[in-house]
């Protein structure tokens, strides 16, 4: 397929991804006000994806297990259950616009930092300028939360930053392993489902599905299970393979704009001038930082891997 067509498909996949990501933050905010627990939402999110992607990847098990385990861990931890619990906890304290800015919005910063620090990639002047703007935007959020917001909001911001670092490892993990979208989805979803009983036994998560109204369960099955767990996981991994990790992360930085516009009528949230300025700095910085990373890769028996 011509390179232009590949890029167009990647861009279309990222448009779908951004729309679903924005809906994710709305869903997480609603879940924080629901009788459903984080464990319930995680089960509804990951179980359908584990069944679907596991079935699609059933003949690729040898290829998947041949991938260096540190990369599989980056995928499983980066967008699996640990990431979800960080994001869900952070959204209990922070407004939708903040959560959407501090996870996908600053993803290019962490992707570039990992690429530079771990893989030795050089950073151009444009990318450095973009990263600088993202840092200023993050600083504006944290400065406002530290000095003008309740401590709970500040805690939420730091938890969301941790979630963004986690997601950056997932983004790079998908890019360097050579796994296709279904294989990457199987790794993160199946690992999440396997970790749920561990979390329940340890007391870190609990379940309350039987007490939830059917309508609410149906909404989260569609929003989390189908939308985020299956469609967005597939479309984001698909986009990374065709656009690269950096460009995909940069387009994802537009998520806070979409999420904030949805949250205003849904939750009657107000967006302060400082939030608008911080979001603009992060989005513009992400666009500047969107130059493709020239990943060094080698061949293995089963497919391309990072050097």
């Amino acid at each position: 397929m011509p390179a232009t067509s590949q890029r167009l498909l990647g861009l279309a996949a990222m448009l779908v991804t951004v729309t679903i990501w924005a809906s994710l933050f709305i869903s997480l905010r609603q879940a924080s006000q629901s009788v459903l627990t984080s464990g319930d939402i995680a089960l509804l999110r990951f179980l359908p994806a584990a069944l679907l992607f596991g079935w699609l990847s059933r003949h690729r098990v040898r290829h998947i297990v041949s991938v260096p385990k540190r990369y599989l861990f980056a995928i499983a931890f980066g967008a699996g259950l640990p990431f979800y619990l960080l994001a869900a906890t952070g959204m209990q304290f922070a407004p939708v616009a903040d959560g959407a800015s501090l996870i996908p919005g600053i993803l290019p910063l962490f992707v570039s930092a990992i690429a530079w620090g771990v893989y030795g990639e050089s950073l151009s002047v444009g990318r450095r300028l973009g990263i600088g703007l993202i840092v200023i935007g993050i600083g504006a959020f944290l400065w406002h939360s530290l000095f003008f917001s309740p401590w709970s909001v500040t805690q939420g911001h730091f938890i969301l930053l941790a979630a963004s670092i986690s997601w950056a490892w997932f983004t790079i993990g998908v890019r360097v392993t050579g796994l296709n979208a279904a294989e990457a989805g199987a790794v993160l979803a199946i690992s999440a489902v396997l970790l749920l009983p561990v979390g329940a036994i340890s007391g870190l998560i609990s379940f309350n599905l039987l007490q939830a109204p059917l309508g609410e369960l149906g909404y989260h099955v569609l929003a989390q299970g189908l939308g985020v767990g299956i469609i967005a996981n597939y479309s984001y991994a698909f986009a990374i393979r065709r656009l690269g990790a950096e460009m995909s992360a940069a387009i994802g930085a537009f998520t806070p704009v979409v999420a904030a516009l949805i949250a205003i009528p849904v939750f009657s949230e107000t967006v302060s001038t400082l939030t608008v300025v911080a979001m603009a700095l992060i989005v513009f910085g992400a666009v500047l930082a969107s130059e493709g990373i020239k990943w060094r890769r080698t061949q293995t028996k089963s497919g391309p891997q990072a050097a």
Side-chain angles (χ1 to χ4, degrees), residues 179-221:
L179 295 178
N180 64 34
E183 292 165 352
V187 171
L188 77 89
I190 293 174
S191 65
V193 171
L194 293 177
L195 284 174
L196 280 171
V198 178
I201 293 171
S202 64
L204 293 176
I205 57 177
S206 59
F207 298 96
N208 195 36
L209 278 174
L210 297 179
Q211 278 65 49
L214 288 178
E216 191 170 353
L217 285 175
Y219 166 77
H220 285 291
V221 167

Side-chain angles (χ1 to χ4, degrees), residues 92-262:
Q92 292 179 12
F93 306 110
V96 170
D98 295 18
S101 296
L102 293 174
I103 296 185
I106 62 173
L107 189 58
L109 167 64
F110 294 129
V111 170
S112 294
I114 293 170
W116 172 73
V118 177
Y119 298 101
E121 301 294 339
S122 61
L123 300 180
S124 67
V125 174
R127 187 180 297 174
R128 291 178 183 180
L129 177 59
I131 290 173
L133 292 176
I134 295 172
V135 170
I136 294 172
I138 298 170
F141 271 115
L142 297 181
W143 177 78
H144 186 268
S145 67
L146 284 170
F147 295 102
F148 300 100
S149 300
W151 172 241
S152 60
V153 174
T154 305
Q155 287 179 302
H157 284 168
F158 281 112
I159 294 171
L160 291 169
L161 284 174
S164 185
I165 295 173
S166 175
W167 206 347
W169 280 111
F170 163 73
T171 300
I172 289 180
V174 171
R175 181 65 182 88
V176 301
T177 58
L179 295 178
N180 64 34
E183 292 165 352
V187 171
L188 77 89
I190 293 174
S191 65
V193 171
L194 293 177
L195 284 174
L196 280 171
V198 178
I201 293 171
S202 64
L204 293 176
I205 57 177
S206 59
F207 298 96
N208 195 36
L209 278 174
L210 297 179
Q211 278 65 49
L214 288 178
E216 191 170 353
L217 285 175
Y219 166 77
H220 285 291
V221 167
L222 292 175
Q224 293 281 350
L226 178 61
V228 181
I230 295 177
I231 298 176
N233 279 338
Y234 186 90
S235 61
Y236 186 50
F238 181 92
I240 291 172
R241 296 294 302 277
R242 281 150 182 81
L243 300 177
E246 196 78 358
M247 178 64 76
S248 299
I251 297 173
F254 287 90
T255 301
V257 178
V258 179
L261 292 175
I262 297 174

